[in-house]
Amino acid sequence: MPNFLPNTTILVPQGAEYKAVCRGLSGVTSSIPTVVAIPVGMKPLLKYLQQGQFLAPSRVLIMGICGSLSDRYTVGDIVLYQDCVYQGKRLECDRTFTAQLHSALRKDAINSVSLYSPPNLVKSLTSDRVIWSAAEKRRLGEMAADVVDMEGFTALEFFNAAGVTVAMLRVVSDDCQHDIPDLTPAINSDGSLNPFPLAMGMLRQPLAATRLIRGSLTALKVLKQVTNHLFSGNKLE
């Protein structure tokens, strides 16, 4: 098991994703990495990083959940980013750090538990809004991207400029076959979630909301267990 602890800081979107990572680390008895809750979305994240609210580490691991843009990746799949694309610009994650993570999560390392497949190396797209419709997901997937999130490119661009090594590990929470609620209006300018628009967005599309909740719960469970495995050496259960 490679040692991920020295000088590694985990950045994870605030809310349920942050809580899942913290739960994954709660059983770790050795020294644990610093975990930082970051705002949701590109602009709020850039503002947060520019304010320099934490000391720049030598290595950053971005964790969280993401949406699938391809039939190849479904809810609960673990993905490691090779690169991030935004508006035609492409940035690569650190290959060595990514390879270490991939090795630590290969099938024999997780005790061949059938529920969890080894991590997939994927190409990611960063969006400044929620990609909610299945049709748009599939269209974006045809543009050589496998998954989508709202922070990846911003984080990679910022830390690359600072000379910080970056890898990204996420878990798929929604597939490309079904719509999810459009929750973009629920994201405040500071990257926090506004409960009332969030609830209204869910109520307007109850079937899509139920599907998203189920997928998110599955993804968050995997995220918690992957975190625990990486930093404790335990088998995934």
Side-chain angles (χ1 to χ4, degrees):
M1 173 69 64
N3 187 351
F4 295 105
L5 295 176
N7 303 314
T8 298
T9 296
I10 298 175
L11 267 58
V12 57
Q14 61 190 357
E17 295 163 86
Y18 174 76
K19 291 176 182 176
V21 168
C22 289
R23 284 196 299 269
L25 292 171
S26 64
V28 176
T29 55
S30 58
S31 58
I32 61 174
T34 301
V35 185
V36 179
I38 59 175
V40 174
M42 299 184 71
K43 289 182 179 179
L45 176 58
L46 180 59
K47 182 178 180 180
Y48 174 83
L49 293 174
Q50 288 175 337
Q51 289 173 346
Q53 295 186 7
F54 61 98
L55 295 175
S58 62
R59 296 205 307 182
V60 163
L61 175 58
I62 311 290
M63 301 186 75
I65 59 178
C66 63
S68 174
L69 302 177
S70 166
D71 290 332
R72 294 190 299 274
Y73 309 108
T74 189
V75 172
D77 283 352
I78 303 165
V79 294
L80 280 167
Y81 288 11
Q82 293 177 305
D83 55 34
C84 293
V85 174
Y86 176 68
Q87 293 186 346
K89 294 184 288 185
R90 175 178 169 272
L91 295 173
E92 283 194 357
C93 295
D94 184 81
R95 294 184 182 184
T96 300
F97 192 8
T98 301
Q100 287 179 324
L101 292 162
H102 190 268
S103 177
L105 293 170
R106 65 190 187 278
K107 198 162 186 72
D108 62 319
I110 59 176
N111 202 24
S112 65
V113 179
S114 59
L115 185 58
Y116 303 106
S117 59
N120 303 276
L121 294 171
V122 299
K123 299 182 179 299
S124 73
L125 173 73
T126 303
S127 173
D128 56 6
R129 58 186 174 82
V130 175
I131 305 299
W132 61 271
S133 80
E136 185 173 16
K137 292 181 197 178
R138 291 193 293 270
R139 180 179 63 79
L140 292 171
E142 293 170 358
M143 300 165 61
D146 301 308
V147 298
V148 61
D149 70 47
M150 298 180 66
E151 300 85 25
F153 187 90
T154 299
L156 200 51
E157 187 173 46
F158 178 86
F159 286 115
N160 279 358
V164 175
T165 298
V166 180
M168 301 196 191
L169 187 159
R170 293 198 181 231
V171 181
V172 175
S173 61
D174 56 278
D175 61 32
C176 67
Q177 299 299 321
H178 303 92
D179 293 350
I180 61 173
D182 181 9
L183 301 181
T184 303
I187 302 174
N188 295 323
S189 60
D190 64 356
S192 63
L193 293 177
N194 190 324
F196 182 71
L198 180 65
M200 292 304 296
M202 293 288 200
L203 288 171
R204 275 194 290 268
Q205 297 170 279
L207 290 178
T210 300
R211 191 178 295 114
L212 176 62
I213 291 168
R214 287 176 179 168
S216 296
L217 289 174
T218 297
L220 291 168
K221 179 182 178 182
V222 176
L223 181 64
K224 179 191 77 171
Q225 294 179 330
V226 167
T227 303
N228 183 268
H229 173 77
L230 281 176
F231 291 95
S232 70
N234 293 334
K235 304 296 185 185
L236 287 178
E237 298 178 353

